[in-house]
Amino acid sequence: MKNRFIKKPNKQKKKRQVIPLRLNILFFVIFILFSALILRLGVVQIVQGETYKRQLEETDDVSVTKNVPRGVIYDRNYNLLVGNSAVKSITYARSEKTPPSEMISVAKKLDKLITVTPDTKLTERDLQDYWILTHEKASLARLTKAEKNLDGAKAYKKQVENVTKADLDSLSSEDKRIATIYKKMTAGYALSQVAIKSKGVTDEEIAKVSENLESLPGVDTTTDWNRFYTYDETLRSILGSVSTEKQGIPSDKVDYYLAQGYSRNDRVGRSYLEAQYESVLAGQKSKSNSVLDSNGNIVETVEKYEGSKGKDLVLSVDVELQKKIEEILKDNMRIGKASGGSDLFDRAFAVAMDPYTGQVLALAGQKINDKGEYEDYSLGNFTTAYNMGSAVKGATVLAGIMSDAITENTVFVDQPIVFKGTRPKSSWFNRNGERSLSLNPVGALEISSNSYMYQTAMKMAGAKYVYNGPFRASPETFDKMRYYYNQFGLGVKTGIDLPGEQVGFKGDDKTVGKILDFAIGQYDSYTPLQLAQYGATIANGGYRIQPTMLKEIRDPSTNGDTVGKVATEQEPKVLNQIGVPSSAIKEVQEGFYAVTHGGNGTGKGYFGDLPVSVAGKTGTAQAFYDGPKKESAMAGVWNTTFVGYAPAEKPEISIAVVVPWGYRDNGSSDPKINMKISAQIFKAYFDLKEERAKAGKDTSKVDQPINNKAAAAAAQTKLND
């Protein structure tokens, strides 16, 4: 019995030794696992933490931008030219992972809530895609076993090919409405808003959609805008246009705009002022953070930055003067069209500038289209060029002085210039040399002596004139003369703040005798704006000022009654100074004054009824037609021009008027509409000035009222209707 009792404790002792060993092994394994877990967590958090955080932000928290209303555009007197009309809009933003089936589902729901007219531009491919999405099983069943094994794009192509005409004919009006909505939904880029409906959206539709937003992922109700133009066609070609959401950013500027943070379907300025000042007018987009679920759907959007409306442009243009000049052009073009030989006459231009600041007061152009209707052609002032004739003779005189060919006191006898083997070249009033006139620069400008300019050009060429002898000159004289003309803005870009400016055309006939034609404005061609810059340079005493359409940039209006605070004022920019003594400039100014006031002045009799004195230079150029009527190409025509300023003693307005192809060179008479237009422009300017003085209008105040709110409201209503 004792032996049995003694052996029993030994068995218990043996069991107690086994249990701790197993526990130790278990604890060791747990320790290893926890160590590995801690190590892995350390690597994830410390080493790869930033990477995972960035990936999380990219996939789950995405920044979405929305456009803001563009800045508006005023004239110099704070009349609204271009504004924004707010419109209700129903939009959609898809994620990168949103499947087409879900988009179709949303489109079907929207069709029940809003009224959409089927798009007449739905293509056959649009309808094929819609049929496949709404008949997925039937479409796949039509594929052969081999076709099903093709890669996605090739297999889908086969699905498209298998859609029959009967399939498309079976689509109802409801189907086509849904297809229209779906097409709009797919037009935008991922996480960018596209308008499903932005015209004619009713309050009831907004309410219905807003109530069902939870079941319409990606859909939102917001406010969009459309541009309206208070004065219809006035300055329309200069103001430019804005792209639609469908057009987006221009294809030739994709990289530029994308680098600036734009989306491909953003609305941007497409042309002229809207394009030139895009960075000012566009404003800063609002920014929101959209939280996406695991499927990439937007589940929550939080606004981070509400954005800021674009700044407003205040143009240098006086819209009332602009409108008056446009009517002046039309009225006188009718007179011109009633005259003989005017079948090729279809356009006229007028530029008005402040000669000291370069601010463009009016940039008017009118063109008669194929239907006989007048249309705005303001842009032709800097995109088309013509021979300007004698209007450029002031530049010829000063070029002669700058090159030391002549002085302020040089006298030439007006006489026909005859070279051996050529026809005589003479002044219009002295074709046979019956008059023997000794002329200085003032007298030569007064009666528009061609002979004086010929002899000046010969001096510049280093040629000695011998009657009926040869004319020997270097072709480099053309470049020499152009160099001096460029100082006035003739033959070079004026620098105006508008895209697409042309420099004109250089004559390519290097016959040395053409140097004489150059001197009287019948060789190279210039734009009306270049002629205006040249005239302003004479008017202000020899400073070539860069013309500008901009007066100032202002912050957006805060109350809708007055314009915003000034953000930037446009300062005058001097491009160069004419390299002659002030006395030489005054000599030409006296010549311009003699043109309109002298006993033999070519412009006398047109400006006597004005309250101020006018100085200027007339021009008539024998040219060749190069307009749209190709069957009449190179027909002989006459261009008539005028460049001048007022008051003559202290100019505040400088103008250039160009009437190309006014009448044929077939014995037709000159109706002188260039002179009539010029006189009426000066009268319109000073009449407006007097009216405003009587009304006590002061445009120097800081808080300027928006002056044409009623007209702007009417234009906005017209657009919405």
Side-chain angles (χ1 to χ4, degrees), residues 28 37 192-193 199 204 246 302 349 688:
F28 180 74
L37 179 61
S192 65
Q193 283 192 332
K199 187 174 182 180
E204 183 180 1
K246 182 178 180 180
V302 180
F349 305 98
L688 276 173

mmCIF file of all heavy atoms in Angstrom, residues 28 37 192-193 199 204 246 302 349 688:
data_model
loop_
_atom_site.group_PDB
_atom_site.id
_atom_site.type_symbol
_atom_site.label_atom_id
_atom_site.label_comp_id
_atom_site.label_asym_id
_atom_site.label_seq_id
_atom_site.Cartn_x
_atom_site.Cartn_y
_atom_site.Cartn_z
ATOM 1 N N PHE A 28 5.750 32.231 -26.721
ATOM 2 C CA PHE A 28 6.824 32.612 -27.638
ATOM 3 C C PHE A 28 6.276 32.892 -29.049
ATOM 4 O O PHE A 28 6.651 33.873 -29.698
ATOM 5 C CB PHE A 28 7.873 31.498 -27.678
ATOM 6 C CG PHE A 28 9.016 31.813 -28.599
ATOM 7 C CD1 PHE A 28 9.985 32.753 -28.245
ATOM 8 C CD2 PHE A 28 9.125 31.182 -29.845
ATOM 9 C CE1 PHE A 28 11.034 33.037 -29.094
ATOM 10 C CE2 PHE A 28 10.168 31.474 -30.681
ATOM 11 C CZ PHE A 28 11.130 32.413 -30.315
ATOM 12 N N LEU A 37 3.779 42.012 -36.110
ATOM 13 C CA LEU A 37 2.699 42.975 -36.332
ATOM 14 C C LEU A 37 3.159 44.391 -36.017
ATOM 15 O O LEU A 37 2.896 45.336 -36.783
ATOM 16 C CB LEU A 37 1.496 42.590 -35.465
ATOM 17 C CG LEU A 37 0.270 43.516 -35.566
ATOM 18 C CD1 LEU A 37 -0.274 43.526 -36.999
ATOM 19 C CD2 LEU A 37 -0.813 43.044 -34.589
ATOM 20 N N SER A 192 -15.875 66.781 -63.245
ATOM 21 C CA SER A 192 -16.128 68.143 -63.714
ATOM 22 C C SER A 192 -17.605 68.249 -64.060
ATOM 23 O O SER A 192 -18.195 67.318 -64.611
ATOM 24 C CB SER A 192 -15.277 68.466 -64.943
ATOM 25 O OG SER A 192 -15.651 67.662 -66.043
ATOM 26 N N GLN A 193 -18.190 69.362 -63.704
ATOM 27 C CA GLN A 193 -19.623 69.526 -63.899
ATOM 28 C C GLN A 193 -19.962 69.803 -65.362
ATOM 29 O O GLN A 193 -19.275 70.571 -66.031
ATOM 30 C CB GLN A 193 -20.151 70.671 -63.045
ATOM 31 C CG GLN A 193 -20.317 70.329 -61.587
ATOM 32 C CD GLN A 193 -21.097 71.392 -60.846
ATOM 33 O OE1 GLN A 193 -21.081 72.558 -61.214
ATOM 34 N NE2 GLN A 193 -21.778 71.010 -59.792
ATOM 35 N N LYS A 199 -31.212 75.829 -69.836
ATOM 36 C CA LYS A 199 -32.081 76.798 -70.496
ATOM 37 C C LYS A 199 -33.531 76.404 -70.244
ATOM 38 O O LYS A 199 -33.929 75.268 -70.485
ATOM 39 C CB LYS A 199 -31.797 76.841 -72.006
ATOM 40 C CG LYS A 199 -32.538 77.951 -72.731
ATOM 41 C CD LYS A 199 -32.111 78.047 -74.188
ATOM 42 C CE LYS A 199 -32.823 79.204 -74.877
ATOM 43 N NZ LYS A 199 -32.423 79.331 -76.303
ATOM 44 N N GLU A 204 -40.107 74.475 -60.503
ATOM 45 C CA GLU A 204 -40.652 73.161 -60.171
ATOM 46 C C GLU A 204 -39.621 72.061 -60.446
ATOM 47 O O GLU A 204 -39.460 71.131 -59.645
ATOM 48 C CB GLU A 204 -41.915 72.896 -60.993
ATOM 49 C CG GLU A 204 -42.600 71.577 -60.659
ATOM 50 C CD GLU A 204 -43.844 71.340 -61.491
ATOM 51 O OE1 GLU A 204 -44.159 72.204 -62.335
ATOM 52 O OE2 GLU A 204 -44.492 70.299 -61.302
ATOM 53 N N LYS A 246 -19.570 72.746 -74.303
ATOM 54 C CA LYS A 246 -19.260 71.675 -75.255
ATOM 55 C C LYS A 246 -17.970 71.979 -76.008
ATOM 56 O O LYS A 246 -17.151 71.102 -76.252
ATOM 57 C CB LYS A 246 -20.419 71.507 -76.237
ATOM 58 C CG LYS A 246 -20.212 70.384 -77.241
ATOM 59 C CD LYS A 246 -21.418 70.233 -78.146
ATOM 60 C CE LYS A 246 -21.214 69.101 -79.157
ATOM 61 N NZ LYS A 246 -22.385 68.948 -80.050
ATOM 62 N N VAL A 302 -17.874 69.049 -49.739
ATOM 63 C CA VAL A 302 -17.687 70.124 -48.772
ATOM 64 C C VAL A 302 -16.958 71.275 -49.465
ATOM 65 O O VAL A 302 -15.873 71.079 -50.015
ATOM 66 C CB VAL A 302 -16.872 69.650 -47.551
ATOM 67 C CG1 VAL A 302 -16.682 70.797 -46.561
ATOM 68 C CG2 VAL A 302 -17.562 68.470 -46.881
ATOM 69 N N PHE A 349 -14.066 102.619 -92.506
ATOM 70 C CA PHE A 349 -13.504 102.507 -91.159
ATOM 71 C C PHE A 349 -13.256 103.881 -90.551
ATOM 72 O O PHE A 349 -12.986 104.848 -91.258
ATOM 73 C CB PHE A 349 -12.171 101.751 -91.196
ATOM 74 C CG PHE A 349 -12.247 100.401 -91.838
ATOM 75 C CD1 PHE A 349 -11.883 100.220 -93.163
ATOM 76 C CD2 PHE A 349 -12.692 99.301 -91.120
ATOM 77 C CE1 PHE A 349 -11.955 98.980 -93.768
ATOM 78 C CE2 PHE A 349 -12.768 98.052 -91.710
ATOM 79 C CZ PHE A 349 -12.398 97.893 -93.042
ATOM 80 N N LEU A 688 -21.355 115.681 -77.953
ATOM 81 C CA LEU A 688 -21.485 114.837 -76.766
ATOM 82 C C LEU A 688 -20.801 115.467 -75.568
ATOM 83 O O LEU A 688 -21.322 115.442 -74.443
ATOM 84 C CB LEU A 688 -20.878 113.454 -77.033
ATOM 85 C CG LEU A 688 -21.756 112.413 -77.727
ATOM 86 C CD1 LEU A 688 -20.941 111.167 -78.056
ATOM 87 C CD2 LEU A 688 -22.954 112.036 -76.859
#
